[in-house]
Amino acid sequence: DRGSDESRSIEMLRDLRVQAKEAGGDVITLLGNHEIMNADLDFSYAPDIYSFDSWHDKFNMAEKIQTVLKGKRAQLMQRGKGKLAMLMSTMPIVVQIGENVFVHGGLTPETISHGIDELNQDVAKWLRKDTDVKPWLLDPVPKGGRTVSPLWERVYGMPIVPETALSNLDGMLDKLDAKRMVVGHTPQKYGISGVETDKEKEVWRIDTNLNDKIMGRVECLEILTDLDSPEAASTVRVLSEDGRIIDAQKRKNMFEELLRSQSKTETAVPAPLRS
């Protein structure tokens, strides 16, 4: 629900997954808070409940009888039968690939305690309507001034991540035998950026605020691992739309360095990076 090209975006991801599998790879699409809101039939951020018209037309024409009353978005998002709800039931909340953990908002201690596989399975069952009990970790439940939900956590997207949060991240990644976490959710005005913990673990923030209202930076994070030497350190780079390849070190802890260079850290606004 970030513009009028939702259906085309979904089709592109589905096509890319087919192509990737044919080439021996894969495309894994994660669920975020807005997907869950839509599955709850909460269209607060949707610009138009009919923006899925063209996509819906490709399915069973008999379903169109009720569209005047309910709208096609609601039909597609109906748990247990809607085409999009069923598609989303195949998507995880958290996925770990080697030493890399991917999640929309950020890991929380409650997510680790619940179990990643268990959470993914619980969400799939709810979206398929195998159960009407919605997993509580999907909602922005507050606890001690923070959220327990991996979909709504924002602390790791802050310009300066609190030391307590980084310490918690060290512990969570240790339990998963992981090196880094990659998150979206919180837009990064100055492009993809990373923060390193005291234990040299990392969190990468990759939401560059791309939508049809605000055109952020067109960038992606590349993580390369030598399959012949899995113990070797991965190479992390930022790839830009204009073809530049940016070493990850230039984007690590960049806000701390920029703010340190300012005389008034409380009001300092970093200048947009150009490399």
Side-chain angles (χ1 to χ4, degrees):
D1 49 20
R2 278 293 188 266
S4 59
D5 286 332
E6 296 170 285
S7 58
R8 190 168 67 173
S9 298
I10 293 171
E11 287 177 343
M12 180 189 71
L13 290 170
R14 294 174 72 184
D15 291 343
L16 283 174
R17 186 174 193 190
V18 172
Q19 296 173 37
K21 284 187 171 293
E22 290 175 349
D26 200 358
V27 170
I28 301 173
T29 307
L30 296 182
L31 291 172
N33 59 320
H34 285 261
E35 284 73 34
I36 298 304
M37 289 174 66
N38 274 260
D40 263 336
L41 304 184
D42 177 354
F43 304 141
S44 303
Y45 290 86
D48 182 356
I49 63 170
Y50 297 101
S51 65
F52 274 109
D53 281 9
S54 62
W55 203 63
H56 183 280
D57 290 343
K58 298 180 181 180
F59 295 116
N60 188 352
M61 296 296 286
E63 293 182 357
K64 298 181 69 176
I65 297 175
Q66 301 179 35
T67 57
V68 174
L69 295 177
K70 292 187 176 180
K72 295 173 184 177
R73 179 182 293 271
Q75 285 184 277
L76 288 167
M77 294 294 181
Q78 189 173 356
R79 290 188 302 111
K81 60 188 295 187
K83 296 298 189 296
L84 275 180
M86 297 306 289
L87 175 62
M88 290 192 299
S89 72
T90 66
M91 302 175 184
I93 295 290
V94 186
V95 67
Q96 180 171 357
I97 303 174
E99 60 183 4
N100 309 292
V101 179
F102 301 85
V103 57
H104 182 68
L107 291 173
T108 65
E110 291 77 13
T111 305
I112 301 297
S113 298
H114 188 90
I116 290 175
D117 292 338
E118 290 78 5
L119 177 59
N120 289 335
Q121 293 168 13
D122 290 348
V123 174
K125 291 176 183 177
W126 178 70
L127 288 168
R128 292 195 305 262
K129 212 172 177 22
D130 294 343
T131 176
D132 284 323
V133 179
K134 182 182 179 183
W136 65 281
L137 283 172
L138 297 183
D139 289 326
V141 180
K143 181 179 180 180
R146 63 178 181 84
T147 178
V148 302
S149 173
L151 299 182
W152 292 88
E153 178 64 274
R154 286 200 186 276
V155 68
Y156 297 108
M158 297 171 62
I160 303 296
V161 181
E163 289 298 325
T164 53
L166 292 177
S167 178
N168 287 338
L169 181 61
D170 274 333
M172 292 186 289
L173 291 180
D174 277 342
K175 289 181 179 179
L176 298 174
D177 194 22
K179 163 73 174 177
R180 64 184 58 84
M181 177 175 71
V182 180
V183 301
H185 191 45
T186 303
Q188 302 298 306
K189 183 177 181 180
Y190 303 100
I192 291 174
S193 64
V195 178
E196 193 170 61
T197 72
D198 287 340
K199 289 188 176 182
E200 297 185 342
K201 295 185 183 295
E202 303 166 353
V203 53
W204 285 93
R205 299 86 67 83
I206 64 171
D207 186 337
T208 59
N209 209 17
L210 291 175
N211 58 64
D212 66 351
K213 302 299 182 185
I214 304 172
M215 180 54 72
R217 292 189 177 199
V218 181
E219 295 181 335
C220 70
L221 187 70
E222 178 186 66
I223 304 173
L224 299 176
T225 301
D226 186 348
L227 297 180
D228 294 326
S229 304
E231 299 302 319
S234 298
T235 300
V236 182
R237 307 188 298 185
V238 175
L239 309 182
S240 66
E241 183 182 28
D242 59 9
R244 287 178 300 143
I245 299 176
I246 304 163
D247 189 301
Q249 285 299 129
K250 293 184 178 180
R251 292 292 184 89
K252 270 189 190 177
N253 303 320
M254 65 180 194
F255 284 102
E256 290 185 1
E257 294 171 7
L258 286 167
L259 288 174
R260 275 196 213 102
S261 68
Q262 303 286 334
S263 58
K264 297 180 180 180
T265 58
E266 293 184 356
T267 59
V269 178
L273 293 183
R274 300 190 181 281
S275 63

